[in-house]
Amino acid sequence: GAVVSQHPSRVICKSGTSVKIECRSLDFQATTMFWYRQFPKQSLMLMATSNEGSKATYEQGVEKDKFLINHASLTLSTLTVTSAHPEDSSFYICSAIVGAGRDEQFFGPGTRLTVL
Amino acid sequence: AQRVTQPEKLLSVFKGAPVELKCNYSYSGSPELFWYVQYSRQRLQLLLRHISRESIKGFTADLNKGETSFHLKKPFAQEEDSAMYYCALTTGGYNKLIFGAGTRLAVHP
């Protein structure tokens, strides 16, 4: 149980376009989802915390207008990279927690974004 | 500010040797500490957490508040232990995880 999926696994886009990444909890309802960014050979950096039905909380230095997060249901959160540029190329990982006292984060497999 | 430090990028050992992956943290309150592992081509997964005080796959980690450390140890490394290991802390609330830079463990036959 507690499986988190991400779609797509890889995406290549042209500079200036927008890209949407989906994060789904497959067998549980996730009260909270997190979005991370991981550069090559570096650690995961938390970008934002997403709670179902409310606005995401962004970490310092993360542009909320650049990285739009929507958590419309208890099983789906989306991250949209708007007007993508080559420096946005990275590995984006989501995680989800069940809540209600169970705080273990379950991670998705990640999405590799390459902006040309 | 909260911070997690893993001083070693790579730890290379032979099979059967003891392993210690270092982790130090800075936080003025009482954090929860975790070790996550990422095997090749797999997603990040929880290995163990300090409040559980359990041994997973032969690994243990003890929280030392005096030294603000949470080192991961295993007495006899196995080749299948080769992976990327991340130390992380959370300060409660929305359970935000702050990760260290990670240590790659390579266990050679």
Side-chain angles (χ1 to χ4, degrees), chain A residues 4 34 36 38 42-44 46 49 51 59 97 103-105 107-109, chain B residues 32 34 36 38 43-46 49 86 94-97 99-102:
Chain A
V4 176
F34 303 87
Y36 296 85
Q38 185 177 32
Q42 295 190 30
S43 188
L44 286 77
L46 179 64
T49 302
N51 290 290
E59 294 300 302
I97 59 174
D103 56 1
E104 178 179 347
Q105 289 192 27
F107 286 82
Chain B
E32 272 197 63
F34 304 80
Y36 281 83
Q38 188 170 31
R43 67 187 68 195
L44 203 63
Q45 56 186 286
L46 179 65
R49 55 198 303 174
Y86 293 96
Y94 285 119
N95 307 112
K96 293 180 357 177
L97 279 171
F99 284 89

Side-chain angles (χ1 to χ4, degrees), chain A residues 2-15:
Chain A
V3 178
V4 176
S5 70
Q6 283 184 241
H7 178 80
S9 57
R10 292 176 178 267
V11 57
I12 301 173
C13 69
K14 292 182 179 180
S15 185

Side-chain angles (χ1 to χ4, degrees), chain B residues 33-80:
Chain B
L33 275 298
F34 304 80
W35 275 99
Y36 281 83
V37 61
Q38 188 170 31
Y39 299 102
S40 180
R41 300 183 184 279
Q42 294 187 29
R43 67 187 68 195
L44 203 63
Q45 56 186 286
L46 179 65
L47 179 62
L48 53 80
R49 55 198 303 174
H50 89 269
I51 60 172
S52 299
R53 302 186 65 81
E54 56 189 351
S55 173
I56 303 294
K57 299 184 178 182
F59 285 98
T60 58
D62 292 315
L63 179 61
N64 186 322
K65 292 187 178 181
E67 296 182 359
T68 59
S69 69
F70 188 56
H71 303 327
L72 183 68
K73 300 178 183 179
K74 184 169 182 175
F76 307 103
Q78 302 299 314
E79 289 180 67
E80 54 265 30

Side-chain angles (χ1 to χ4, degrees), chain A residues 6-12 19-22 92 109-112:
Chain A
Q6 283 184 241
H7 178 80
S9 57
R10 292 176 178 267
V11 57
I12 301 173
V19 174
K20 181 185 284 187
I21 302 170
E22 293 185 349
Y92 292 89
T111 296
R112 169 117 10 240

